[in-house]
């Protein structure tokens, strides 16, 4: 494996060897924007990531995250930022923030391996007076029951006495230009009042509003509540989409009308499923905690997961029905998937429903291609999916075009004119001849 060993851009000698204000563990969609904001306000920042390609790229001025540009990274480097793969950089930081992934394991439970690994690395270098914050999404009790014991056993120091420990849920929304890190209120919960005070003071340098929770468990629950709320309501409109189609009701128009009410209603819209790093994952953490601690199921989450997981199958069935109306079988038909990321105008494909849609279409022996301006190549189950160079030309050439993601660069009226058959799962093209979810 080749790793770029070239010197970082700029004069970063101070952050390579001297004390720093902040060390960020995990330089992905959460950690890198945090590091950028901290350097912007004048803090001395280092980053730690286990991927040598990520570290080499950042130190050479390249970004791998949608919301952080190469110019942003070069400004960070000029301000003294450096990225590392070596844990030793943690010992030089006044504050350490853990922003590592927390996926679900094969059984649908929480995979905290990255969190525990990060906590052990911090513990081995923990000094009196440091502040440690966990931002990775997890179930209520993780900071106190998992991270705190690891830090205390590994360092011999006591949280709330020798060092400060807090939880602050990340609220990064990839592609959202109106609510960045600074504009989004930051929830903070400390293990003790003094821990909370330290964490509030730290985040007060980076964001406009800090909201103090009663404790770490409440801060952990707040994050799960936010995304479980979205998960359940998306499941509601997804099931309504199925019911409305059978009843001959235009659900999109019903949502438009309901959304005119100035109180008591928030519009959610159906789609091919749920994706991203939050909505498909976070409610599973809450379900795990309820089941393991209380011995029964969180039924709302279970039902929402069941409904949202079946949406790709429903989309494929509707696609098959649409082809049947044109006297074409799905078997052997050429199907174009437009937009395979989990949300518009980003390259992020985590948990994208496009994957199960493509998998099911292939299982029914359709010939599947895709187009996405943000995705140069795409594989499903380790098999490459052919990429169309031009969306309009491909729509003319395929038997069926399925709009899975409405990227702003797509000319939707032109696509509707070009496509032989068009299935719009985003509710964007309402005209005769276009099938809408």
């Amino acid at each position: 494996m080749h790793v770029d060993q070239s010197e970082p851009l700029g004069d970063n000698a101070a952050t390579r060897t001297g004390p720093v204000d902040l060390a960020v563990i995990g330089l992905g969609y959460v950690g890198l924007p945090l590091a950028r904001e901290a350097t912007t306000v004048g803090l001395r920042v280092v980053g730690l990531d286990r991927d040598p390609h990520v570290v080499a790229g950042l130190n050479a001025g390249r970004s791998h995250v949608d919301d952080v540009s190469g110019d942003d990274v070069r400004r960070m480097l000029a301000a003294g930022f450096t990225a590392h793969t070596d844990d030793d950089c943690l010992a030089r930081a006044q504050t350490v923030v853990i922003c590592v992934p927390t996926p679900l394991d094969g059984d649908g439970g929480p995979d905290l391996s990255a969190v525990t690994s990060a906590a052990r690395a911090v513990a081995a270098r923990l000094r009196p007076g440091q502040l440690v914050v966990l931002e990775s999404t997890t179930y209520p009790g993780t900071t106190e029951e998992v991270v705190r014991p690891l830090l205390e056993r590994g360092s011999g120091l006591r949280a709330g006495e020798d060092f400060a420990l807090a939880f602050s849920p990340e609220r990064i929304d990839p592609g959202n230009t109106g609510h960045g890190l600074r504009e989004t209120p930051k929830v903070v919960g400390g293990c003790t009042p003094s821990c909370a005070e330290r964490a509030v003071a730290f985040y007060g340098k980076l964001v406009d509003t800090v909201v103090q929770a009663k404790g770490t468990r409440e801060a952990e629950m707040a994050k799960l509540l936010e995304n479980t709320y979205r998960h359940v309501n998306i499941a509601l409109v997804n099931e309504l989409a199925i019911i409305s189609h059978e009843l001959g009701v235009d659900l999109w128009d019903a949502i438009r009308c309901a959304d005119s009410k100035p109180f008591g209603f928030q519009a959610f819209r159906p789609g091919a499923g749920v994706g991203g790093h939050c909505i498909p994952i976070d409610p599973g953490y809450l379900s795990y905690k309820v089941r393991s601690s209380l011995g029964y199921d969180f039924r709302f989450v279970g039902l929402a997961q069941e409904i949202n997981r079946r949406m790709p199958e429903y989309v494929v069935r509707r696609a098959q029905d649409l082809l049947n109306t044109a006297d074409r079988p799905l078997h052997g038909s050429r199907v174009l998937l437009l937009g395979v990321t989990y949300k518009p105008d980003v390259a992020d494909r985590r948990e994208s429903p496009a994957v199960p849609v493509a998998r099911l279409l292939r299982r029914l022996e359709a010939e599947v291609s895709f187009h996405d301006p943000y995705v140069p190549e795409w594989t499903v189950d380790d098999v490459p999916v052919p990429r169309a160079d031009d969306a309009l030309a491909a729509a003319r050439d395929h038997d069926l075009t399925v709009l899975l993601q409405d990227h702003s660069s797509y000319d939707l009226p032109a696509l509707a004119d070009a496509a032989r058959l068009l299935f719009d799962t985003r509710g964007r093209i309402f005209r005769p001849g276009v099938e809408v979810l």
Side-chain angles (χ1 to χ4, degrees):
M1 180 184 295
H2 174 73
V3 178
D4 185 356
Q5 300 290 343
S6 61
E7 283 295 304
L9 298 177
D11 181 10
N12 299 333
T15 49
R16 287 199 297 272
T17 58
V20 294
D21 300 300
L22 172 65
V24 178
I25 304 179
L27 297 173
Y29 282 84
V30 176
L32 193 58
L34 175 65
R36 176 185 60 186
E37 191 63 36
T39 59
T40 299
V41 301
L43 299 186
R44 295 163 296 176
V45 183
V46 295
L48 172 65
D49 200 282
R50 297 304 187 197
D51 189 331
H53 290 293
V54 166
V55 169
L58 290 172
N59 285 334
R62 299 188 299 272
S63 176
H64 59 290
V65 172
D66 284 318
D67 292 343
V68 180
S69 68
D71 287 341
D72 289 335
V73 174
R74 288 184 282 275
R75 281 191 290 268
M76 291 167 64
L77 295 171
F81 172 79
T82 52
H84 303 260
T85 56
D86 191 324
D87 299 346
D88 287 344
C89 65
L90 303 177
R92 300 185 281 113
Q94 187 65 25
T95 297
V96 178
V97 179
I98 299 171
C99 303
V100 295
T102 48
L104 298 176
D105 63 21
D107 297 323
D111 180 355
L112 295 180
S113 57
V115 170
T116 57
S117 175
R120 291 188 179 99
V122 175
R125 294 155 182 84
L126 195 60
R127 296 179 291 101
Q130 281 184 304
L131 166 65
V132 180
V133 183
L134 176 64
E135 284 206 8
S136 304
T137 303
T138 186
Y139 57 81
T142 302
T143 306
E144 289 277 6
E145 299 165 10
V146 177
V147 175
R148 181 174 184 168
L150 288 171
L151 294 176
E152 292 184 339
R153 285 198 303 266
S155 67
L157 303 176
R158 298 287 297 174
E161 298 175 12
D162 304 308
F163 69 96
L165 176 61
F167 179 83
S168 181
E170 61 88 3
R171 282 174 158 175
I172 297 295
D173 183 18
N176 190 330
T177 57
H179 294 90
L181 191 148
R182 174 162 287 281
E183 296 82 17
T184 305
K186 201 80 169 77
V187 173
V188 171
C191 287
T192 66
S194 63
C195 292
E197 184 179 349
R198 283 283 308 279
V200 168
F202 167 72
Y203 283 108
K205 302 173 184 176
L206 308 181
V207 302
D208 295 334
T209 305
V210 180
V211 179
Q212 186 172 334
K214 182 178 179 181
T216 57
R217 285 177 173 82
E218 288 73 20
E220 290 160 337
M221 180 63 90
K223 171 66 173 180
L224 298 184
L225 173 59
E226 293 169 10
N227 287 322
T228 300
Y229 169 81
R230 295 168 66 197
H231 188 53
V232 168
N233 280 282
I234 291 170
L236 171 64
V237 295
N238 276 338
E239 185 153 44
L240 282 172
I242 297 171
I243 294 169
S244 296
H245 181 67
E246 297 300 322
L247 293 175
V249 174
D250 185 338
L251 178 63
W252 298 92
D253 191 59
I255 293 170
R256 179 185 65 84
C257 293
D259 199 30
S260 67
K261 187 178 181 181
F263 55 90
F265 181 81
Q266 180 180 355
F268 288 82
R269 292 171 175 82
V274 293
H277 65 301
C278 290
I279 298 177
I281 305 297
D282 296 357
Y285 270 69
L286 189 51
S287 290
Y288 164 82
K289 184 62 175 179
V290 172
R291 189 168 55 250
S292 62
S293 297
L294 304 180
Y296 55 82
D297 290 331
F298 187 2
R299 290 180 294 169
F300 261 111
V301 167
L303 181 59
Q305 289 173 330
E306 177 187 338
I307 292 168
N308 288 331
R309 284 173 181 164
R310 78 183 186 192
M311 286 307 291
E313 182 178 353
Y314 177 70
V315 165
V316 170
R317 179 159 60 85
R318 288 280 299 275
Q320 187 172 27
D321 290 345
L322 183 57
L323 281 165
N324 286 342
T325 63
D327 296 323
R328 287 199 58 88
L330 181 59
H331 178 103
S333 288
R334 302 189 66 199
V335 179
L336 174 67
L337 303 180
L338 292 181
V340 298
T341 60
Y342 90 89
K343 66 181 298 187
D345 300 331
V346 300
D348 195 343
R349 302 194 303 278
R350 288 175 293 176
E351 306 298 326
S352 171
V355 171
V357 168
R359 181 182 294 129
L360 289 166
L361 287 169
R362 279 177 164 176
R363 192 174 298 164
L364 294 170
E365 299 190 50
E367 297 179 14
V368 182
S369 302
F370 86 100
H371 178 276
D372 193 303
Y374 296 91
V375 182
E377 55 186 33
W378 187 42
T379 61
V380 174
D381 300 329
D382 298 322
V383 178
V385 180
R387 185 183 191 278
D389 293 328
D390 180 84
L392 288 176
R396 294 187 189 97
D397 194 41
H398 283 71
D399 300 303
L400 172 65
T401 298
V402 182
L403 180 68
L404 293 177
Q405 201 51 264
D406 51 331
H407 295 303
S408 60
S409 62
Y410 283 147
D411 185 339
L412 299 181
L415 281 169
D417 290 336
R420 300 179 186 177
L421 292 172
L422 179 60
F423 182 22
D424 173 14
T425 71
R426 304 307 303 163
R428 294 294 309 280
I429 311 170
F430 295 96
R431 60 157 67 177
V434 176
E435 182 81 358
V436 180
L437 181 66

